[in-house]
Amino acid sequence: MAKTHVSTSINGEPVEFLADPGSSLLDALRNTLGLTGTKEGCGTGDCGACSVTVDGRLVCSCLVLAVEAEGAEIATIEGMAQGEALHPLQRKFLEMAALQCGICTPGVLISARALLEKNPDPTETEVRFGLAGNLCRCTGYDKIVRAVMEAAAEMRETV
Amino acid sequence: MNVITDKLRVEDNKWIGQRTIRPDGADKVTGRASYAADNTMPGMIWGKVLRSPHAHARIRSIDTSKAEALPGVKAVVTAKDIVDFPLETSVLLGIQDMRWMCRNVMAREKALFHGHPVAAVAAINEEVAVAACALIEVDYEVLPHVIEIEDAIRDDAPILHDFARFEGKPSNIAGTMTAKLGDVEAGFAEADVIVERTFRTRPIHQGYIEPQACTVSYSADGRATIWSSSQGQFMVRAMTSLLTGVPQSNIRAIPAEIGGGFGAKTIIYLEPVALLLSKKSGRPVKMVMTREEVMRATGPTSGSFSTVKIGAKRDGTLVAAKGDFYIQAGCLPGGPLRGPVGCAFAPYDIPHVLSVGYDVVSNRSKVAAYRAPGAPLGAYAAESVIDEIAEQLGMDPLELRLKNTARSGTKAAYGATFAKVTFEETIEAIRDHEHYKAPLDRNPRPGVRRGRGVASGFWYNAGGESSAQVNITEDGNVVVTTGHPDVGGSRASIANVTAELLGVDHGRVSVLIGDTASIGYSNLTGGSRVTFASAMVVTQSAEKVIGQLKERAAKIWKIDPEAVHWENGEARPAGPNAGQFPPLTLADLAARASETGGPIGAGVQLNTAGAEPGFATHVVDVEVDVDLGIVRVLRYTAAQDVGRALHPSYVEGQIQGGVVQGIGWALSEEYLYDRQGRLENAGFLDYRMPVCSDVPMIEAVMLEIPNPKHPQGVRGVGEAPIVPPLAAISNAVHDALGTRFYSLPMSPPKVLARLDEA
Ligand code: FES
Ligand code: FES
């Protein structure tokens, strides 16, 4: 099948690629563009490992068609740190050991950032529901929730 | 919370026990860490597996000619390409029997479950590979199938394997295991109270988020390189070698970062197939399982059907215990009998025990290890019965346990005589915890009932083979290499230990995981052994390095090496008699390494021993919504003897993660089959693992009672936390509702049905 030309922006940089009309944004990121920081845990929208934002909206990239990236602004885990400076969420995840195997971590971080953009001062329950789309099998979520709340507190102070 | 009972060596620790940043952390929060599916190679093609659509069928023939003719297809393999291990002779690799592994990787005489691999294709892309699989013609003779244990052990059940015999007859019971102590019937004769109950659990999946994946490159010189994620690169090498006939020396297995395993990645599915596809096609081959393939065709853990009978005196003394554990093996023998048979009664000093396990095959995917393999099944039954005995005797369930704990010198039915038992301490930690004492509002609002439950658990823990190399770089820093994939922070622990021993800043230590060509043989990451074993070999390596450093300083100072001390990362003269010299730092000595004798570094390869068992006691509060049948965990506290927490955060993490897996096991996870023997819920939507909003914070109470047989006092941690939750939650639900469940999961439909009966 003929491929479609897609012009998009990923982490603030212009990107062009060719996509099969039926292929997912996740597939384009990982296999066409080499951005393997976004993970695939299920391919069916049930685990959140593939979380990215499209025009600021949190999505499962396995459920978005690659061609839908046309003209959009995509943000992935690779763009979360500013150079050497980690995002407060990334830093808190390290300091508070909020990851074990780390396969869920990129998706959890992207979801958490999207959550804090909407709600800078979430309760524990709000964090738990905000991250309910991101499966983590290793941590039992305890340290993830704490790290997100700590990061939120720090981000509120620095604003 | 930390309860440190041995202050001696802990107080002056600078790095051990600190919550340092893990060495592999930055790459994991920025998306740079490379997991199995992240690898690519120039010229790489894609492999896909054709799987049986039948639960049980004889394979009469396979015709791959149409698939091979499809443009873009580069290679096809079937069972005839895999090394056959004839049924007559057992060939063991660790606990895995290659007779079963070769048939698990590719169906041979029969397809034994829906999803069983029957052929594989490599093609220029995944779409062509999938299309080619559809062109393979398999002539099946469909056979009657059997799924559940109770059906599989009936006399008229379809028999999976002609070779399996039980009591002289063809059977789906492929083996048994017994642990015995005293005379159990005589024991029951002494009992005032006897409780006997039957329990059922369903197979559940390990649920790692990273599907199995690998890239394999077989070169023209007959050498192969494997990139894959596993719980043991040496297992990958050995098993792939056995299944393909390529000698181990010609295979280099490179461990990718692993995205969860929990035991399931102690065996392989794809690597030998990909190697053979690469060999036939002359191209590197990448294979990645879909989630559906993971659920259908990689091992879940066993379901179980168990009867446990325990007898007690009126004063609460346990006098006899009997367990019959029917454990699902999946389609090929090898269920984790050792878990329930050995662990169920091990925490207790019971004079008369008879524990028998039955390995039951049926038309399901072959089980794989899952965290404390089999032990939660036995504990679920035993700890539920103990709860009932406490109720009948009117005793506090923790007091009943305290009265009967195994102690130093107690002989367990599975054979061991315990050296140092720390079970009592875990019970006391829960009994004295604010959680256990806190009042519970049993009916906080209409339609809601609350209850509290406790349970304990045991796991053997393990030592075994490990290798490490500690090298001092030319600029005076430290690189440590071990042979163990890091599933949850073991590099962080090793960095702490190394920094402590060498007396250098944590930031100067790098910890790497070697591939099979760069580090000595190391057994699997599993059984709660890695931190225990690798800290031991790293300690011995570091001690050798310190010996070298002292020698180098002695040479420079022209004094006896005995007269040199290593302290805070510096060599110093041992005392005024040794001479007056300014200290030499690691960097000083590294800079002068060539002139003083060459590179500085040492390695140790060892079969480690001294892994004392793990004990855990948990308390949980639940809330049952009687209109919806939903059980929610409100509060959870888990106490465990961890020996010494080299990195407390990752120790807590093991406990918290294990508990939440146990919550899923108790409340929502199960494999569901249709009448044709097809798994109905092969995905994360319908196979319901706990999500963030399902669970509360999990309080981990780490009891640090040093293991006297380990240089830092480490005790394995990872397995024990999944052992108590099943019974603890079931006991709490009983406390809430006054009715007891004898099967898991306690899912809403089951809870509602029970409430309707009442
Ligand atoms: S991979 Fe997209 S939700 Fe799981
Ligand atoms: S850290 Fe392993 S799945 Fe979350």
Side-chain angles (χ1 to χ4, degrees), chain B residues 385-601:
Chain B
V385 169
I386 286 174
D387 201 58
E388 252 184 274
I389 290 182
E391 194 189 0
Q392 289 200 14
L393 293 172
M395 275 181 87
D396 175 278
L398 290 180
E399 293 303 330
L400 176 66
R401 286 176 174 81
L402 269 179
K403 194 174 170 62
N404 293 284
T405 53
R407 285 161 210 279
S408 304
T410 300
K411 187 170 161 52
Y414 73 84
T417 301
F418 294 130
K420 185 168 164 86
V421 178
T422 50
F423 181 34
E424 201 174 334
E425 287 86 340
T426 70
I427 305 173
E428 287 167 350
I430 292 298
R431 182 195 62 191
D432 301 339
H433 195 278
E434 187 269 324
H435 179 174
Y436 195 63
K437 296 181 188 158
L440 184 69
D441 182 358
R442 299 184 159 274
N443 298 293
R445 43 186 199 277
V448 165
R449 287 188 242 156
R450 290 181 179 170
R452 178 169 292 162
V454 297
S456 297
F458 169 92
W459 178 250
Y460 305 101
N461 288 336
E465 301 93 336
S466 285
S467 301
Q469 176 73 32
V470 176
N471 287 338
I472 307 303
T473 57
E474 299 93 291
D475 62 356
N477 292 305
V478 189
V479 176
V480 184
T481 309
T482 74
H484 298 298
D486 177 356
V487 294
S490 57
R491 272 169 291 199
S493 298
I494 292 306
N496 283 0
V497 169
T498 309
E500 187 76 52
L501 293 172
L502 290 175
V504 299
D505 188 88
H506 177 268
R508 291 172 59 190
V509 180
S510 288
V511 186
L512 307 175
I513 297 156
D515 64 56
T516 54
S518 62
I519 188 72
Y521 175 77
S522 299
N523 210 325
L524 295 162
T525 294
S528 294
R529 64 173 295 270
V530 158
T531 303
F532 170 86
S534 54
M536 197 176 262
V537 287
V538 166
T539 298
Q540 294 191 11
S541 304
E543 282 167 353
K544 282 191 182 181
V545 167
I546 291 169
Q548 291 176 11
L549 292 166
K550 290 203 255 184
E551 277 170 25
R552 303 304 172 92
K555 211 171 209 173
I556 292 167
W557 292 332
K558 301 192 174 57
I559 63 173
D560 194 87
E562 301 287 302
V564 180
H565 266 185
W566 187 260
E567 239 177 65
N568 289 326
E570 291 176 339
R572 294 170 179 276
N577 292 345
Q580 292 285 338
F581 305 103
L584 287 165
T585 64
L586 194 57
D588 296 335
L589 291 166
R592 298 178 68 175
S594 298
E595 61 180 276
T596 57
I600 302 170

Side-chain angles (χ1 to χ4, degrees), chain A residues 26 39-50 60-62:
Chain A
L26 175 62
K39 303 301 177 192
E40 175 161 2
C42 68
T44 52
D46 301 314
C47 77
C50 64
C60 293
S61 61
C62 69

Side-chain angles (χ1 to χ4, degrees), chain B residues 92-129:
Chain B
L92 289 179
L93 179 69
I95 59 167
Q96 302 300 336
D97 191 321
M98 296 310 295
R99 291 176 297 172
W100 319 141
M101 290 314 302
C102 81
R103 284 166 177 78
N104 198 41
V105 161
M106 199 64 78
R108 202 157 271 279
E109 304 82 5
K110 296 201 286 186
L112 294 164
F113 64 95
H114 177 238
H116 202 160
V118 291
V121 175
I124 50 166
N125 59 42
E126 273 185 297
E127 294 68 39
V128 175

Side-chain angles (χ1 to χ4, degrees), chain A residues 30 39 90 100-101 143, chain B residues 22 29 35 38 652 669:
Chain A
R30 287 181 56 81
K39 303 301 177 192
Q90 291 172 309
Q100 285 178 30
C101 80
K143 293 186 191 304
Chain B
R22 60 195 279 168
V29 296
Y35 293 81
D38 299 340
E652 288 164 354
E669 297 178 34

Side-chain angles (χ1 to χ4, degrees), chain A residues 100-104 136-139, chain B residues 209:
Chain A
Q100 285 178 30
C101 80
I103 194 86
C104 68
C136 173
R137 191 59 154 173
C138 296
T139 63
Chain B
I209 307 300

Side-chain angles (χ1 to χ4, degrees), chain B residues 170-251:
Chain B
S171 172
N172 289 322
I173 296 176
T176 62
M177 176 183 275
T178 301
K180 191 170 181 292
L181 197 65
D183 175 349
V184 78
E185 289 314 320
F188 284 120
E190 292 171 27
D192 299 314
V193 179
I194 294 176
V195 174
E196 178 173 14
R197 300 285 181 244
T198 294
F199 299 84
R200 290 175 176 79
T201 70
R202 296 228 175 237
I204 66 161
H205 201 269
Q206 295 82 356
Y208 40 84
I209 307 300
E210 179 202 36
Q212 273 85 352
C214 67
T215 307
V216 180
S217 170
Y218 185 92
S219 300
D221 60 0
R223 293 177 195 277
T225 308
I226 302 173
W227 290 264
S228 69
S229 81
S230 76
Q231 288 174 248
Q233 61 274 43
F234 290 90
M235 173 279 297
V236 170
R237 180 177 77 174
M239 218 176 259
T240 305
S241 169
L242 285 162
L243 293 172
T244 60
V246 178
Q248 286 191 16
S249 54
N250 276 7
I251 299 176

